[in-house]
Amino acid sequence: MIIDGKALASEVEAETKVRVDELAALGGRPGLATIIVGDNPASAMYVRIKHSACDRVGIRSENVNLPEGAGIDEILETIRGLNEREDVSGILLQLPLPRELDPARAMAAIDPAKDVDGFHPMNMGSLLAGAEGLVPCTPKGIIWALERLGVDLEGKEAVIVGHSNVVGKPLAAMMLNRNATVSVCHVFTKDLASHTRKAEVLVVAAGVPGLIRGDMVRPGAYVFDVGINRVGGRTVGDVQFDEVIGVAAAVTPVPGGVGPLTVSILMSQTAKAAEMKMKMKEG
């Protein structure tokens, strides 16, 4: 089975639109502010995709485009201004930043209650403590998809290939929170295939085109391919899709798999940030 990320994302967006409409009726329509530094075409494209999703679900959106030469102080001042605005529920700093700018310092300046990307140290700490609030969107999308597919992670063998702060580490925490047995593999892992063949749920986020072949996958596994690689003018994943589709119970395609889910979860978390703010006002 092919896991249709676009269809699943449409479900998330439909649910989010209902929540956004309810918030708007109470005078608290969510707003998402994005920040781009420089003129990276890929960053601009990703932000346009996110703003289009905002339009679909009724979230107000705006973009702050800082010049290539903007220093960290200018970025921090922009973030401070957005932190203080009542009409901004969520703030997203589009990465990568140019030159030697420190993304960690900039991300830490975002109000944790507006950190809809889920990367603030406070939100990551809450995730590790088992209190999931605003969390990284790609891992959350994978968890949501598994739940929608009826896959209970409790007791499952889960293997994650890639240990980035964006996907691998937070996803491992989310799976542990759901009582899966989790292995995290990376560039220093010896005999990768011996690990991946055990996985009932396999998530690959290594950035290596075609890394996972059919003979590296356990029959009946659920496989999520997070890789986005350009090869010969085509966008391909980290999984050899044509081989794995004949072995796995289900696998995400690239493109059209995890990517749309990630964007839809960003919308859901922007609505969640607005809901949390409204509850604080009421309480």
Side-chain angles (χ1 to χ4, degrees):
M1 179 180 83
I2 296 174
I3 301 172
D4 188 341
K6 291 181 180 178
L8 289 170
S10 293
E11 291 183 34
V12 177
E13 288 189 5
E15 292 175 2
T16 301
K17 188 176 188 311
V18 172
R19 294 160 57 202
V20 169
D21 289 345
E22 290 174 352
L23 286 162
L26 296 170
R29 181 178 297 281
L32 175 67
T34 56
I35 304 169
I36 298 181
V37 183
D39 55 2
N40 184 315
S43 291
M45 178 189 70
Y46 289 135
V47 165
R48 284 196 300 271
I49 290 170
K50 292 163 186 174
H51 284 229
S52 294
C54 285
D55 290 342
R56 290 193 296 272
V57 302
I59 291 173
R60 189 191 62 78
S61 64
E62 64 182 88
N63 183 58
V64 180
N65 205 153
L66 299 176
E68 182 80 19
I72 191 67
D73 289 340
E74 187 173 353
I75 296 169
L76 295 177
E77 185 60 33
T78 299
I79 291 171
R80 277 193 289 268
L82 294 171
N83 282 342
E84 293 169 3
R85 281 178 47 185
E86 286 292 314
D87 61 336
V88 173
S89 314
I91 302 170
L92 184 148
L93 177 64
Q94 185 65 44
L95 301 179
L97 297 179
R99 306 184 319 281
E100 72 286 349
L101 295 175
D102 182 6
R105 185 178 173 193
M107 298 295 290
I110 296 173
D111 181 348
K114 296 188 177 187
D115 170 40
V116 289
D117 241 355
F119 294 138
H120 191 282
M122 187 178 296
N123 288 328
M124 291 288 265
S126 294
L127 166 60
L128 288 173
E132 296 178 15
L134 297 174
V135 296
C137 296
T138 297
K140 180 66 175 178
I142 292 169
I143 295 294
W144 190 92
L146 285 166
E147 290 172 351
R148 192 53 58 105
L149 291 166
V151 179
D152 184 359
L153 281 169
E154 187 168 354
K156 290 283 193 301
E157 290 279 351
V159 174
I160 302 165
V161 182
H163 65 346
S164 73
N165 292 334
V166 176
V167 180
K169 290 177 184 176
L171 179 58
M174 289 183 202
M175 287 182 161
L176 287 170
N177 289 344
R178 289 159 180 80
N179 298 318
T181 299
V182 184
S183 299
V184 181
C185 303
H186 41 75
V187 68
F188 296 105
T189 297
K190 298 175 182 177
D191 192 6
L192 177 62
S194 69
H195 294 276
T196 60
R197 289 192 192 107
K198 298 176 183 176
E200 295 171 89
V201 177
L202 175 62
V203 180
V204 190
V208 180
L211 175 66
I212 304 299
R213 306 188 66 91
D215 62 359
M216 298 171 70
V217 174
R218 175 176 176 161
Y222 286 80
V223 180
F224 290 82
D225 188 351
V226 186
I228 301 177
N229 312 286
R230 293 294 291 176
V231 177
R234 295 173 55 240
T235 300
V236 300
D238 292 351
V239 172
Q240 291 276 2
F241 182 85
D242 291 342
E243 294 184 15
V244 171
I245 190 66
V247 180
V251 59
T252 58
V254 175
V258 174
L261 260 176
T262 298
V263 176
S264 69
I265 294 297
L266 175 65
M267 300 300 105
S268 177
Q269 296 219 133
T270 303
K272 182 172 185 172
E275 289 164 346
M276 289 163 54
K277 179 181 175 182
M278 188 161 285
K279 284 180 181 177
M280 285 181 64
K281 283 185 175 180
E282 292 172 351

